[in-house]
């Protein structure tokens, strides 16, 4: 079982930055690929980005590429989402999720943290 807790959300003006953190309670954090997703009001949850178990590989949605950066610290069981040049359309609840290496689905989810970007 993997427990995930996001933090770092808040209210920021357009053009600003925020860094989200996701702390994982699991012994084998380095065995999990980690993903960030978001869900805006009235919309379906969408993929933001993912990072491999070692941190050596990342992939991003086109909508955030060049503005968002995912990193992880396996010694601290934590994954980060650095968000720069924020836009009002980035407003959403942001969730982190874990997918065990060798498996295709994200099974474990945090409760999310709200990010609101004002224009």
């Amino acid at each position: 079982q993997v427990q995930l807790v996001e933090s770092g959300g808040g209210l920021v003006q357009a053009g600003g930055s925020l860094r989200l953190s996701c702390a994982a309670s699991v012994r084998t954090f380095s065995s999990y690929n980690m993903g960030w997703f978001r869900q805006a009001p009235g919309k379906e949850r969408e993929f933001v980005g993912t990072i491999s178990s070692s941190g050596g590989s990342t992939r991003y949605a086109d909508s955030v590429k060049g503005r968002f950066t995912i990193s992880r610290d396996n010694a601290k069981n934590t994954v980060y989402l650095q968000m720069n040049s924020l836009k009002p359309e980035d407003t959403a609840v942001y969730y982190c999720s874990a997918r065990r290496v060798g498996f295709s689905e994200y099974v474990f989810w945090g409760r999310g943290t709200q990010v609101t970007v004002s224009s």
Side-chain angles (χ1 to χ4, degrees):
Q1 190 73 7
V2 180
Q3 294 184 332
L4 303 171
V5 179
E6 303 94 338
S7 62
L11 174 64
V12 63
Q13 288 188 336
S17 299
L18 279 176
R19 188 175 83 154
L20 306 184
S21 300
C22 173
S25 297
V26 63
R27 288 187 178 182
T28 56
F29 182 63
S30 60
S31 297
Y32 291 85
N33 299 308
M34 300 298 294
W36 284 97
F37 296 77
R38 66 186 182 185
Q39 187 168 19
K43 295 187 177 181
E44 293 188 354
R45 186 172 59 197
E46 65 174 357
F47 169 79
V48 173
T50 185
I51 187 166
S52 63
S53 57
S54 67
S57 176
T58 54
R59 181 169 59 89
Y60 300 94
D62 288 343
S63 58
V64 306
K65 200 173 295 182
R67 300 188 298 121
F68 290 11
T69 303
I70 299 175
S71 60
R72 67 189 292 163
D73 185 338
N74 284 351
K76 295 183 178 180
N77 281 18
T78 302
V79 62
Y80 305 97
L81 178 64
Q82 177 67 44
M83 304 185 293
N84 299 328
S85 302
L86 283 161
K87 305 174 181 180
E89 51 263 43
D90 294 319
T91 295
V93 177
Y94 283 72
Y95 300 90
C96 73
S97 185
R99 175 171 63 87
R100 193 168 180 88
V101 172
F103 290 77
S104 60
E105 292 187 13
Y106 286 94
V107 177
F108 303 103
W109 294 85
R111 293 188 174 185
T113 185
Q114 176 71 47
V115 171
T116 303
V117 183
S118 63
S119 57

